[in-house]
Every structure is written in C-alpha cells, then in structure tokens.
Amino acid sequence: MPRMPRNHLMPVSSKWQTWCMAGAWLLVTALGMLCAAWGCMALLAQAPQRYNIAAALALVWGFAWLILFGYGALQRRVLPILAGGLALMLGLLIWWGTIDPQSDREWAADVARLVAIESDKHQPDVVHLRNVRNFTWRSDSDFTPRWEDRSYDLSKLSSVDVALSYWMGPAIAHTLVSFGFTDGQHVVFSIEIRKQQHEQFDALAGFFKQYEMALVAADERDILAVRTNVRGEQVHLYQVNMTQDSMRDLFMAYARQASQLAFAPRFYNTLTANCTTIVWQLARRIGQALPTDWRLLASGYLPEYLRDVGGLASMQPLELLRAQGNITQRAQTWQAPAHDTDAERSADFSRHIRQGM
C-alpha cells in the first residue's frame, strides 16, 4: 500500500490560514481606520486652534497610524498594529477625559441664563421658576431679551404637548415639551446646545464635546414662534396621553435636571444626550415604560413612536393628527391683541395655535 504524502492536508490548512489572516487584517484595518478618524476629529474639535496646533496634531495622529499600518504590512503581522493602536488610543482617551464642561463662557444671549427652580414650603403645589425666557424676536440677530420669574401651580396642570420643529428634512426635528395649565399658562422646556457667542450648531461637532447642554424654559410665544416666524421651520404639536400625576412628575423631573445642570455642567452629545434622548431618559426616570427605538435618534419620526407605545392622547389617524397639529401658519398669522397684558397675549397665542387640534 503506497504511503500518503506527509503534506496531503496542507492545502486545506493553508487555505484556512489565509482566510483567517485576511479576516484579521480586514477587522484590524476597519477598527484602526475608525480609531484614526475619530482621533483626528477629536483633535480638530478640542485641541488648541491657535497657530494651527489642532490641525498639526491631527496630521501627526494620522501619520502615526500610517506608520503602524505600514510596519504591520511589512512584518505581515497584525499584533504591532493592535499594540501600537492601543497605546495611541489610551493616550488620546486620557487627554479626552481631562476635557470638562464649563459654566462660565461668553454665552449667546438666548442661552445666557439657565432656568432655576424654587419650591414654596407654604404652597407645596406651587413652584417658582427663575429665568423663564420670553424674548421678542424680529430676526435671529434682532430681538428684545427678557428673562422672567414665574410661578406655576402644579395642581392646575392640564396638558403635556410634544412640539417637533423640523429644520433638516423629515427625519430630523428638534423636540420640545410644553406644559399647559388651566389658567391659560404654558411653559416649554427645551434641551439645547449652550452656544457661545461665536458658535453655530454643527451636528458632527456635537459628538466631540463641542457644546455644553442648556435646559431652557420659555414662553410658547418665544420658543415656538422664533422657529416658525423667524427661522422658517415647520412646527407640529402632539398632545401626549398622561395622567395628571405623571404630568407633575415629568415637570419636576425637568426641574431636577435644571438644578443638576446649574451645579454640574454637562456636554451635549448629538447621539446620546440630545433634545429627544434626554426627554426619553426623564420619562423613564419617572416610571414610564418606554422601550428603546431607532426613532429616538431620528426624532422626526417621534410621532410614530409615540403612537406605537400608546403615548398620544388621540386615537385618530396619525396623518390627520400631523395636519391638525401643524401650527406653522397659525403662528405666523397670529396678531397680538392691542390692549392685553403680556401674559394675556401669551395665553392668546397658545389658544390660537391650537385651533383645530
């Protein structure tokens, strides 16, 4: 009987080794490219801008990764890339961890103050909000600033509306929450970036500790009308299905969040800490059983999410609710009554934009 050659299994073994090595190279290359890209953007966003230091550091960072890939290719080994990449990322993350949010920058006028809450020991149902924004807007750069102290009786809470302001296509909207009271008052809470005077919002920069977070409490005549009448955004209102106790708990969750931001500034994050995910986190904190869902990130589809979890007050078709809740034109055509007080004008605006809902 002829003897089998000693290497009769080698072609199969060699094939598997080739596939495994190719897979390892593909995985390491993809991971390395992601780390290199993230590091470049982080350096460009947070390293000193003076004398183009940030750009120079980003170039050095990218060149270091090229050296790692080149050395690994020459050696035909992925271990040098893994070890070197780990050392680079560890150094970068140590620096990244030293970047803390601040509360004393030169803020833009509309986020110059943070809302603060004060309880009333003599009236447990009454809360006092300081720094409620009530600006009169003529354009984004022409406005009359006004910050007010207001009191709200939580026993008179009657409604919670989610407002979605569409500013970049159907998938992206800014989320605001409006609390209504039986005496006609409305106050809107909005999680926003706390811009500095020279800054404009950039969604990509929001991933890289570029903006602190602000919690704004504002009159509807301010925070909704500036979006419809000045910025040309489409704003839709949807009434939320909540008990009075849940409304109260959500209001106080916003108040506690405001207190936390006043003492411990926090970074805004486009993905994990934005205008929609924070609302979801607050709602879950008060015991609302809300599942995670991709529509929390694509906030333009939040009405579909609220319908699916039973969060809308009306059972009418969503397209009808969307049409009825489009307040854009009603906000643009509202005329302030001539002889009313400012509070009466705010209440009239809130009534007017809800006509037909």
Side-chain angles (χ1 to χ4, degrees):
M1 181 177 176
R3 298 179 63 184
M4 296 292 290
R6 295 182 63 184
N7 63 345
H8 73 286
L9 293 177
M10 288 193 64
V12 177
S13 177
S14 177
K15 183 177 180 179
W16 277 106
Q17 287 179 353
T18 301
W19 278 103
C20 287
M21 284 300 298
W25 269 103
L26 183 62
L27 180 62
V28 170
T29 300
L31 185 61
M33 290 178 66
L34 284 173
C35 290
W38 187 88
C40 278
M41 289 186 286
L43 288 166
L44 288 172
Q46 289 297 334
Q49 300 296 320
R50 186 180 302 175
Y51 308 121
N52 292 321
I53 293 176
L57 289 174
L59 285 174
V60 171
W61 173 263
F63 189 64
W65 279 97
L66 285 177
I67 292 175
L68 280 179
F69 281 120
Y71 182 75
L74 289 175
Q75 297 292 318
R76 296 184 178 181
R77 299 167 61 200
V78 297
L79 186 60
I81 302 176
L82 289 173
L86 182 62
L88 285 173
M89 287 303 298
L90 183 61
L92 187 73
L93 290 175
I94 290 174
W95 163 73
W96 189 250
T98 65
I99 303 172
D100 295 321
Q102 304 297 316
S103 60
D104 56 352
R105 305 185 193 275
E106 295 183 358
W107 305 113
D110 58 333
V111 288
R113 304 185 189 184
L114 296 179
V115 62
I117 184 170
E118 295 178 357
S119 58
D120 191 327
K121 62 181 180 180
H122 300 295
Q123 297 175 289
D125 289 331
V126 176
V127 295
H128 307 287
L129 295 185
R130 290 188 291 108
N131 299 328
V132 176
R133 203 181 76 193
N134 189 20
F135 284 23
T136 299
W137 297 87
R138 291 170 291 275
S139 72
D140 259 334
S141 57
D142 181 15
F143 51 84
T144 302
R146 186 164 61 245
W147 300 92
E148 299 176 347
D149 295 344
R150 295 188 177 185
S151 298
Y152 299 95
D153 187 343
L154 299 187
S155 67
K156 296 180 179 180
L157 264 171
S158 60
S159 65
V160 172
D161 297 320
V162 168
L164 294 174
S165 184
Y166 291 83
W167 57 276
M168 194 174 71
I172 303 299
H174 182 72
T175 305
L176 311 92
V177 177
S178 177
F179 292 86
F181 297 80
T182 56
D183 59 4
Q185 289 193 94
H186 285 80
V187 61
V188 182
F189 288 103
S190 175
I191 295 289
E192 304 190 1
I193 64 167
R194 200 174 189 191
K195 303 186 301 292
Q196 297 182 60
Q197 291 180 5
H198 63 279
E199 284 184 320
Q200 296 294 326
F201 177 65
D202 184 311
L204 183 60
F207 287 98
F208 298 100
K209 295 186 176 182
Q210 186 67 34
Y211 310 111
E212 278 80 6
M213 181 187 292
L215 177 53
V216 176
D219 192 290
E220 284 190 336
R221 192 158 52 101
D222 168 341
I223 204 165
L224 297 184
V226 69
R227 296 177 177 277
T228 56
N229 300 6
V230 173
R231 299 172 186 169
E233 300 175 8
Q234 292 286 319
V235 178
H236 295 254
L237 277 181
Y238 299 89
Q239 188 171 357
V240 179
N241 179 27
M242 297 185 80
T243 65
Q244 216 269 352
D245 286 342
S246 294
M247 295 179 195
R248 184 186 186 118
D249 289 342
L250 184 59
F251 188 100
M252 293 307 298
Y254 269 108
R256 287 190 291 270
Q257 182 69 57
S259 299
Q260 291 172 8
L261 288 176
F263 290 100
R266 179 179 177 183
F267 281 117
Y268 178 96
N269 186 281
T270 302
L271 183 65
T272 61
N274 58 49
C275 61
T276 304
T277 58
I278 293 297
V279 175
W280 176 78
Q281 291 167 14
L282 291 175
R284 292 198 63 168
R285 194 180 300 172
I286 66 172
Q288 299 294 315
L290 299 177
T292 55
D293 193 283
W294 64 271
R295 290 168 291 190
L296 295 170
L297 302 178
S299 52
Y301 302 113
L302 190 61
E304 286 83 354
Y305 171 79
L306 292 173
R307 176 200 58 193
D308 292 347
V309 300
L312 294 179
S314 174
M315 299 300 293
Q316 292 180 311
L318 189 57
E319 287 305 315
L320 179 60
L321 294 178
R322 183 176 285 113
Q324 292 175 343
N326 186 350
I327 69 166
T328 307
Q329 187 174 9
R330 296 194 290 268
Q332 292 170 347
T333 58
W334 175 75
Q335 296 292 324
H339 303 295
D340 285 0
T341 65
D342 189 73
E344 290 170 337
R345 290 178 181 180
S346 292
D348 187 75
F349 175 83
S350 295
R351 283 192 299 269
H352 183 79
I353 64 174
R354 286 172 172 80
Q355 290 178 1
M357 288 183 59

